[in-house]
Amino acid sequence: MASILDGLNPNQRKAAEHIDGPLLILAGAGSGKTKTLTTRLSYLIGEVGIDPFNTLTLTFTNKAAAEMRERALGMIENRSSTPPLLCTFHKFGLLFLKFHIEKLGRKNNFVIIDSDDKKRLLRAIVKELKIEDLNISFLASEISKYKNSLLTPDVAIKKAELEDYRKVAKVYSAYQSNIEENNLVDFDDLLMLTYRILDENSKLRVEVSNRYRYIMVDEYQDTNELQLKLLEHLSSEHNNLCVVGDDDQSIYGWRGANIRNILDFAETFTDAKTVKLETNYRSTEQILEAANKLIEHNSGRIGKKLESHIGAGPKVNLQHSLDEVHESRAIAREIQELLSKGVDSKDIAVLYRINALSRSLEEGFTKEKLNFKLIGGMRFYERAEIKDIISYFRVLANQNDDFSLLRIINKPKRGIGKASVGKIHKLADENRLSIYDTIISTKESDMVSLVGKKVTNAFKKVVADIKLLQSEVERSIYDFVSLFEDTIGLKDYYAHLVDGQDRVLNMDEFYGYFRDAIKKNPDLTLEEFLNDISLQSEQDQVEGESVTIMSIHAAKGLEFEYLYVIGLEEEFFPLLGDGCNMEEERRLGYVAITRAKRHLTLCYVDSRFYKGRRKMIDKSRFLGESGLIESTSLKITKSSAYKRGDLVKHKIFGIGRVQESNKASGGYKLLINFGGNKKEILSSFVQPI
DNA sequence: TGGGTCACGGTTTTT
DNA sequence: CCGTGACCCA
């Protein structure tokens, strides 16, 4: 009898056929990971006879979820029953909390805030608490770490020993009370609160685990501590957890992903089976040889070797240029030639380690009249004009959302300044009311004496507008957008700014999207719409009519016939610096190389213009490690000579000035004056400033 | 209140 | 070099 498993190779088949007990599918780049996973899901449902209702498949991005859904559903013949739940971790958290957040004493009409909102809120809190010496991004990521380690603010404060961490914990505490008061949840909460509820309610945990009897996780190497704990709870009753990942492609450590999750899978889940997928259907032998050689320099790995299914192929090219201008011109001209030979531009991409390198490409490509598409940069929902609309919508969904109200209270300009906002904010805090309710309940005469007649009127107008719009939302959510623009006039406001035209176009796109969503689902509430879009990102428009340029991170999961990787230089790639994790840099190199199907060009330059100055750089150690050039002798951190008077920085001695410089093996022997304290130090131990 | 100038600092990014 | 936030004055 024909089976859907027939299309798989022996190892893929072994993985798909595995039914009960934990399974780790170690899937190398291009080894048919998605195919195996989707085939397994449809096999379980279509041939083993498992109810789709009892499966759960988790991914990291909406894009991956959408792709897998399409492919799996395409294979399942009888689609009469409920489709299997296949979504992102965060979406799962959202669905779960909609049903169960009451168990934490919270209402389920919460709204999700994104990282941008989080930072804005933190900025306000830091100001209020007068702790202004802490970096906002640092705070945001520390709070994220707290939540992912399940530390409550109280515990965090108690455990904090260093002064700085007491401050961080205090901000965390204020932040958490603030979002709880406004009934907001951040991305981490979607997972953290879900975990907490399951952890505290054993009956529910058993019930939920029994419901999701077959769990699959994609990109397992990217899971963090909390996601692992969540998975342990979800699979506690049956242990049927199947994860797919590649330890060599773990490139999100800086964001909390814990590579140990995949390395230790077999120990964490007893009796786990491991299946390795090492046949690569994407790239040539030449390309895979470079990738394999490079990644072998890492020590913390399970270990596997990709074998090409498509044969030798052409040699990997190296391109050496004087600087970034020559580099981008050379690439542009080569691409032009490919295009003239009939190569499809969507089969060509250029990758880089840091976004700053995109600039020279953009300039060079424009000069050479080469069409390109840049992936990354400002995301749609994070544009100021879109966030303004979203903030209005949020206030309409929940007038107690002070945070959103504050963003739009003087947008468009109503003559309400910082001072007036501060006064009303203070009054609201004293009365333990939201700002909206404070404006409504404060006597007009009191308000006038507080902020003056003009501002009082402006406040009253905002509240009246919001009331009007709320009733319109109830009447017809579809028509409400036009009244919204008539009443608020956000488009007019933006139209008069310098880049107004683009912004108005964006706003129209957003309104169109909103109307579309309502048309598709007339029962959609504003609140549901808001939560849906906050879990969405529109990075799925990669395929197009032009050459793509993007970061290596953004290219994960993609493949290109012709691939260029630029910036293969020490400092840029591997990117050296404080938190440099060389093994992760190398994995990033591995990911970059394995995006290429047949033609790979690695580019490096002698000097690059960066942060306002020109820097001399050496070629990347990765070129040697992947066997593409004779292994270079030890790296010299600075290739141009140090001379008397140069300022340098030493990890222990701090900043000093070079007094003497002599060539020595592997660099320079320097006599440095650290504030009167003279030391003889090798140049490899200092950084030029 | 809000426009203008100045100093500072600057990886990778999804949800 | 270029964008952001703090600060100052009309």
Side-chain angles (χ1 to χ4, degrees):
Chain A
M1 198 184 87
S3 161
I4 35 178
L5 299 180
D6 292 344
L8 301 179
N9 73 28
N11 276 0
Q12 291 173 337
R13 189 174 174 131
K14 222 190 269 173
E17 271 176 339
H18 175 100
I19 300 174
D20 290 305
L23 172 69
L24 165 63
I25 306 173
L26 203 62
S31 63
K33 172 193 79 163
T34 311
K35 185 179 182 185
T36 307
L37 211 57
T38 51
T39 307
R40 180 172 187 268
L41 180 62
S42 34
Y43 171 72
L44 290 180
I45 295 169
E47 295 187 20
V48 180
I50 287 159
D51 190 337
F53 182 81
N54 292 126
T55 71
L56 171 64
T57 307
L58 295 170
T59 64
F60 277 82
T61 64
N62 291 302
K63 198 180 153 199
E67 190 191 340
M68 289 185 32
R69 193 175 302 126
E70 194 182 327
R71 285 173 69 169
L73 290 184
M75 278 188 260
I76 301 169
E77 278 165 22
N78 175 14
R79 277 193 262 154
S80 52
S81 52
T82 41
L85 183 52
L86 205 165
C87 63
T88 64
F89 271 94
H90 295 266
K91 177 83 179 185
F92 177 76
L94 171 64
L95 294 171
F96 183 86
L97 292 180
K98 276 285 156 192
F99 280 102
H100 302 294
I101 201 169
E102 286 100 6
K103 298 190 173 57
L104 296 171
R106 294 182 60 170
K107 286 196 277 180
N108 80 343
N109 65 347
F110 58 82
V111 167
I112 303 169
I113 58 169
D114 64 24
S115 25
D116 200 62
D117 298 324
K118 180 176 173 182
K119 283 187 182 167
R120 249 165 46 82
L121 191 52
L122 286 174
R123 229 166 258 134
I125 287 169
V126 151
K127 211 165 204 175
E128 203 182 333
L129 297 179
K130 301 199 167 35
I131 317 179
E132 304 196 24
D133 54 336
L134 290 175
N135 178 289
I136 297 296
S137 302
F138 169 75
L139 275 172
S141 75
E142 287 304 306
I143 290 175
S144 215
K145 278 183 204 158
Y146 279 139
K147 293 193 176 185
N148 283 307
S149 317
L150 299 162
L151 279 183
T152 60
D154 296 342
V155 178
I157 289 176
K158 270 188 210 125
K159 283 184 85 172
E161 282 171 9
L162 292 168
E163 179 57 22
D164 266 3
Y165 272 88
R166 270 209 296 284
K167 286 183 191 167
V168 174
K170 261 191 207 161
V171 176
Y172 172 34
S173 173
Y175 168 79
Q176 200 55 24
S177 355
N178 191 312
I179 64 174
E180 279 172 24
E181 267 164 39
N182 291 309
N183 205 15
L184 305 171
V185 297
D186 63 19
F187 290 134
D188 299 316
D189 287 340
L190 290 173
L191 305 179
M192 192 260 288
L193 300 177
T194 298
Y195 175 81
R196 194 157 275 168
I197 292 168
L198 287 174
D199 196 55
E200 289 167 5
N201 300 274
S202 50
K203 216 180 127 207
L204 178 67
R205 183 168 68 236
V206 170
E207 203 176 288
V208 171
S209 178
N210 274 324
R211 166 167 179 184
Y212 300 111
R213 291 206 72 83
Y214 292 91
I215 300 179
M216 285 198 257
V217 182
D218 189 24
E219 306 280 13
Y220 188 68
Q221 77 282 353
D222 289 337
T223 50
N224 64 26
E225 212 185 316
L226 180 56
Q227 282 158 334
L228 169 63
K229 288 182 132 175
L230 190 57
L231 289 172
E232 284 178 323
H233 271 351
L234 290 173
S235 60
S236 58
E237 292 302 302
H238 46 71
N239 218 15
N240 295 330
L241 176 65
C242 165
V243 303
V244 189
D246 180 359
D247 53 327
D248 292 331
Q249 290 187 71
S250 165
I251 56 173
Y252 286 104
W254 51 274
R255 193 171 88 181
N258 188 357
I259 191 172
R260 295 245 57 95
N261 286 175
I262 191 165
L263 297 179
D264 298 344
F265 184 83
E267 283 110 73
T268 315
F269 296 92
T270 39
D271 297 327
K273 285 231 167 66
T274 300
V275 176
K276 287 187 190 179
L277 305 183
E278 296 175 294
T279 308
N280 174 295
Y281 296 91
R282 177 187 295 154
S283 317
T284 62
E285 276 166 23
Q286 294 281 341
I287 289 166
L288 293 184
E289 192 186 316
N292 283 331
K293 274 191 182 159
L294 175 64
I295 202 67
E296 268 167 28
H297 286 80
N298 272 3
S299 50
R301 57 192 293 259
I302 299 173
K304 63 178 157 19
K305 201 162 187 174
L306 292 179
E307 280 182 35
S308 175
H309 189 255
I310 62 174
K315 270 197 137 151
V316 173
N317 288 318
L318 290 182
Q319 185 194 287
H320 172 215
S321 312
L322 209 60
D323 59 29
E324 72 283 354
V325 179
H326 293 261
E327 176 186 62
S328 55
R329 188 194 302 146
I331 296 173
R333 290 189 179 163
E334 208 175 297
I335 291 178
Q336 300 276 30
E337 191 149 337
L338 290 173
L339 294 177
S340 72
K341 279 191 207 148
V343 174
D344 198 333
S345 59
K346 70 171 192 298
D347 292 330
I348 309 172
V350 188
L351 308 184
Y352 36 79
R353 172 68 178 86
I354 55 172
N355 284 320
L357 298 200
S358 75
R359 188 167 228 111
S360 60
L361 283 176
E362 292 173 60
E363 281 167 11
F365 284 12
T366 309
K367 228 180 259 166
E368 296 292 322
K369 299 197 172 27
L370 175 65
N371 279 331
F372 63 91
K373 179 176 200 170
L374 181 127
I375 305 289
M378 195 53 144
R379 287 202 292 278
F380 187 70
Y381 293 115
E382 274 174 19
R383 286 164 205 272
E385 61 275 19
I386 304 302
K387 296 238 44 181
D388 287 344
I389 304 177
I390 291 175
S391 297
Y392 268 104
F393 283 19
R394 280 186 188 162
V395 173
L396 291 172
N398 169 17
Q399 314 85 60
N400 295 327
D401 184 348
D402 280 357
F403 174 70
S404 300
L405 184 72
L406 287 173
R407 183 184 172 109
I408 47 89
I409 198 148
N410 195 35
K411 222 172 240 189
K413 290 196 170 38
R414 303 183 169 101
I416 302 172
K418 263 182 277 175
S420 304
V421 171
K423 283 177 192 163
I424 200 80
H425 201 335
K426 197 163 156 255
L427 185 64
D429 280 350
E430 284 164 9
N431 296 334
R432 311 208 102 262
L433 283 175
S434 67
I435 292 177
Y436 182 87
D437 286 340
T438 307
I439 296 174
I440 288 183
S441 62
T442 307
K443 266 201 295 183
E444 179 146 349
S445 54
D446 290 348
M447 185 96 93
V448 172
S449 57
L450 190 68
V451 295
K453 185 93 185 95
K454 245 177 80 183
V455 177
T456 300
N457 286 340
F459 276 145
K460 298 280 176 197
K461 174 85 164 65
V462 176
V463 167
D465 285 351
I466 290 169
K467 272 198 180 142
L468 173 71
L469 289 168
Q470 269 181 318
S471 59
E472 180 73 359
V473 169
E474 273 160 35
R475 198 187 65 78
S476 160
I477 191 164
Y478 185 81
D479 293 330
F480 129 88
V481 170
S482 56
L483 184 70
F484 176 75
E485 262 307 323
D486 288 348
T487 321
I488 306 294
L490 258 189
K491 275 206 299 202
D492 287 344
Y493 167 73
Y494 272 107
H496 295 298
L497 298 183
V498 263
D499 45 357
Q501 288 209 305
D502 282 345
R503 291 177 185 269
V504 170
L505 284 177
N506 288 335
M507 295 169 85
D508 281 332
E509 188 180 335
F510 183 81
Y511 291 141
Y513 180 76
F514 175 74
R515 284 207 179 96
D516 225 46
I518 302 294
K519 224 184 246 170
K520 274 191 204 138
N521 175 10
D523 298 327
L524 194 71
T525 66
L526 213 45
E527 178 196 304
E528 285 166 341
F529 171 75
L530 290 170
N531 280 340
D532 279 350
I533 60 168
S534 57
L535 291 184
Q536 257 170 44
S537 67
E538 29 67 78
Q539 34 86 261
D540 5 44
Q541 11 108 329
V542 173
E543 66 272 6
E545 293 306 295
S546 41
V547 176
T548 312
I549 70 178
M550 65 188 139
S551 73
I552 297 166
H553 283 90
K556 193 165 159 232
L558 305 176
E559 54 178 31
F560 297 92
E561 197 66 36
Y562 292 84
L563 186 81
Y564 296 80
V565 184
I566 65 164
L568 274 130
E569 299 121 19
E570 289 292 300
E571 251 174 277
F572 286 105
F573 194 16
L575 181 63
L576 306 171
D578 318 327
C580 172
N581 176 343
M582 192 50 72
E583 299 227 333
E584 185 150 318
E585 291 297 314
R586 211 171 268 120
R587 291 193 289 269
L588 212 37
Y590 178 80
V591 169
I593 292 172
T594 53
R595 296 311 95 196
K597 289 162 99 169
R598 197 169 180 85
H599 303 274
L600 172 64
T601 306
L602 304 178
C603 312
Y604 62 97
V605 297
D606 291 332
S607 89
R608 230 175 244 292
F609 196 69
Y610 183 58
K611 288 189 188 175
R613 56 206 320 239
R614 182 155 295 282
K615 256 188 168 178
M616 297 298 292
I617 33 192
D618 287 322
K619 51 173 133 17
S620 172
R621 69 189 74 183
F622 293 165
L623 295 176
E625 290 178 356
S626 49
L628 297 168
I629 56 169
E630 294 283 306
S631 208
T632 39
S633 60
L634 261 181
K635 23 125 202 196
I636 303 168
T637 42
K638 188 180 180 230
S639 53
S640 57
Y642 281 97
K643 56 185 189 306
R644 201 183 146 84
D646 282 354
L647 275 178
V648 294
K649 191 171 158 190
H650 185 274
K651 275 229 162 93
I652 294 157
F653 304 121
I655 291 170
R657 201 174 282 280
V658 175
Q659 306 246 293
E660 278 172 37
S661 165
N662 296 299
K663 235 186 160 51
S665 65
Y668 294 87
K669 197 180 192 181
L670 307 172
L671 181 68
I672 306 169
N673 181 353
F674 295 99
N677 187 7
K678 287 180 194 172
K679 298 262 172 202
E680 219 168 52
I681 284 170
L682 282 176
S683 59
S684 53
F685 291 99
V686 297
Q687 294 268 322
I689 313 181

